[in-house]
Every structure is written in structure tokens, then in C-alpha cells.
Amino acid sequence: MNDFATDYLVVGAGAVGMAFVDTLLDEDPDCHITIVDRHARPGGHWNDAYPFVALHQPSATYGVNSLELCPDRIDTHGHNTGMYPLARHADLLAYYDRLMNERLLPSGRVAYHPLTDYAGGEAGLHHIRPILSGDERAITVRRKLVDATWFQTSVPSTHTPSFAIAEGARLAIPGDLPGLWKQRGNMPDHYIILGGGKTAMDTAVWLIEAGVDPDRIGWVRPRDSWMFNRRFLQPAHARIEGLLEFQLALVECAAASDSGSEMCEKLEARGVMLRIDPQVAPTMMHYAVISEGEIDLLSRIKAVYRQGHVTAIAPGRMMFVDDSVTVPDNTLFIDCTASAVPKTVGDTVRPIFAADRITLQLAQTPLVPYSAALCAFLEANFDTDDERNILCPPAPLTDTPDTYPFAVMANLMSAGRLGQNAKTNAFNARSRLHPTGPAVAAMMAAGDPRLAKLAKVGEAINANMPGVIMLGMKAKAIHEANPGWGRPSDATARHEAV
């Protein structure tokens, strides 16, 4: 027996699910949507994130289509000076709460079940289970189940460390750091950051800006990362020249390179990509966006450990597979080893649209909210799954510099497909989440003289596409031959922090 009915059952009220629901609400004015999520409030993994987390990219294209995330202004202080703002933890939670309570629920067409697990189902009958009561309820789903949890986003507060922790070792996660003032009688003498990804970078920047001498910070960084220079990725309405330069650099450097690593080095020479240590060749590429100011802070940490992943920590000692290191006795180890997206997610490919199920994935990497909103538009405006899947095949998640050109090729091919379809081209022109669509549409309406430069960039992209495709196919072969987003197959690499 069913308890109630809905047209779409959306599992997940994070960035993916909310972007999908927001767009579907406008594109299909007759549908009813039910959202279930295990958190007590909307926002998904942002509920579990550390309090000093911020977006990597400007907030202009994050969130949902219907609601601006941050004021349209330029930061005047800190490492983001001169660039457009990055929404922080409190901003993001307030934003999704406002979206739910001021737009979605008042529509009368959205039902929201927080603190609730999806308990499975098929053939239009599904079950949900409130976490606090455990009383399972049945839902008749008239149209489709929408899985907005494909990315399985993990953050330090929900991650279990993979290393041993000896008695007496001091271990914290980034979210614990702002509360250290409560331990003024027992402050750490030294800090060691475990992990090489963006969470670790955020933590290092936070410590230094909080006044910790970089000489008191150690950093276990098994792999270094290539990162995009945020200066080139500012909102298109204000600095479309930077985005055009970025796109032109991508295709020209790809066409002129024999490998993804060479491509990244060429991009670095043009200022588009950054790395922390110019003497170390990065072997990680996770689409992180960073400022030159942050790079300056991170490069001040000189005690960098590259022995691989940590296997154990103890008072005064840190162990690796083939080595151990003596550290100050009163060291606080900070666990930043959670994988933002588990590597197994990149090993499985499934269609986004498949009969009575939609599995929200990337249409273009790494544009998460845009991809979800696009899927909602396709669902509402195209008649068959074949049409939708042709326009929106899942974009690859790649892990290394040498697999990255595969994603570049896939993105360019996706942009071409969507631009040639009248419906999706019109959607992009009005989608707040699209990096350039609304800005280009406004330029066209105004006869902006910058359109001439835009046309030249388009010509350059077309001219370089054969080289981009050649390098992209090489990268695709590497990606498919190695599990875990094309990650190297040695055991040490498999356990590194993301």
C-alpha cells in the first residue's frame, strides 16, 4: 500500500538535486516533486563541511538557476583580492535553506523529507525511511526516480581514516581547528596536514592566515596537483576576455602537445595553470581552482613529505609503507584524506536517462550544478531518452594530467552538440549556471564589439580541434586502461589523498 504519490522522487537535497529540482519546477509547471535527504536541512555535503570551506570558483555560476548566490562585487582583501567573491560555508547553507523555504516549498509542488533515507523500490513503487522513527513509507512515483547521489561526496567529518592511530596521537579534522581556542592550555607545538588535495590546501592557508608560522607546519603530500588560475575564471559578464583566453589556451596547448603533462606545462607557461612547487611534476589533476595569492602562502611550507600515504601516526612519529619520520611530540595531525568523489565513481558508466530512472552525472566536467540543471531541462523538453542521452552523455571524471585531455575533448564536443540544438542553445543563453551563455547572449543583443574577438576564438577552436581530438583519444585510452579515473595502478597511488 502506498502512502502518497509524486511525479519525481529526487534522492539528495545537495547541489545536484537542488539544481535539478529548481530547473524542473520552471520547465514542467505541472509536475510534483518529492525530495528525500538524510541531512536535517538542505545543502547536502555542505552540512558536513568544515566551517572555513569556500567555493573554488566565483559564486556567479554556482547554486541554482533561479537564485543568485553572492553579491555581484569584487573582493577587496585576502587572497581573493581583485576577484569576484567565493561563497563560504555559512553562505551556502543559508542559500539552500532560503531556496527550499522561499521558493521550492511555497510553490506547492515540492514535498521535502529531511532526515530520511531512500529505502529502495522499482516499477513505480518506492520506499523511504525516516531516520529518527524508522517507520518506512511507500511512495508511488508516476514518472521517474532521480538519483542525485551518484558522486557520493565525502568530506573529512564523514570519512574514516585508513591509517592506524596510536594511543596518545593527536588527530583532528579541519572542522576542529576553529575550536582550538578552547585548548589554550594545550596548544599543539606543530601541525602536520595529511593529504594533497584542495581540503589540505584550504587547511594550510587557514593555519597560516590564523598566524601559525609555516615552519611549524608539515605536509604529507604524496602527489602534487595542477590547478586552474582563478584569475582566468571570473564571471563572464565582467571579464569574458579571461574566459576566452582560458579556452583558447586549452585548445592551442592541447593541439601542440603529445601528452597531458606537456599540455599542463604549456598552460602553466601561459599562466592558466598553477602548481605549488615548480620543481615537482604534478601527477594529480582534480580541477581545483586557486589564486596566485594562495599559491604564495602554500609555498611557504617547506616540510613536505612525499613518501606516499601515511599508514600510522603516533606521538612523535609518523609511518609510511617503507619509511617512518620523527615529528615533534606535541604534533596535531590533521586528516584531509577524504576523497571528495570516490575513485570508483569514475569506473562505472551508465546512461543519465534510462526509462524510469535518471542518474544525475556530469554533462561537462567539472560543472556540477549546470549539469544537473541541464538534465532537468532535457527531461522536460525532449520526448525520448535516446534524444536526451545523445545530447548529454556522461562526461568523464579524470584524475591525472595525462587523462585530463580526455575531459577537455569531451567538454568541447558537448558544447558543440548543445550549441547546435536550438532548444539547448537557448537554455544555455539564459542559464545562470552556464559559464558564458547569458553573457554572450547579452553581448549579441547589444552588438558588443567584443563579439569579433569571440568569433576569432571560435575559429581558433575549430582549427585546433583535430589536435585536441588526437590528444584526447590518447588520454581516453589511458583513462580506460587504468581503474579509478585513470589513476596509476601502483598500490601507493591508490591510497593517496585526493
Side-chain angles (χ1 to χ4, degrees), residues 343-379:
K343 301 163 198 65
T344 53
V345 170
D347 294 340
T348 304
V349 176
R350 67 173 58 178
I352 291 175
F353 299 92
D356 61 353
R357 178 183 290 262
I358 300 173
T359 305
L360 296 176
Q361 300 165 69
L362 289 172
Q364 294 186 2
T365 307
L367 306 180
V368 173
Y370 164 74
S371 297
L374 174 65
C375 289
F377 177 82
L378 296 174
E379 169 65 15

Side-chain angles (χ1 to χ4, degrees), residues 397-417:
L397 280 167
T398 60
D399 174 64
T400 69
D402 283 331
T403 56
Y404 169 59
F406 177 26
V408 174
M409 178 187 73
N411 279 359
L412 289 170
M413 295 175 72
S414 170
R417 279 190 302 270

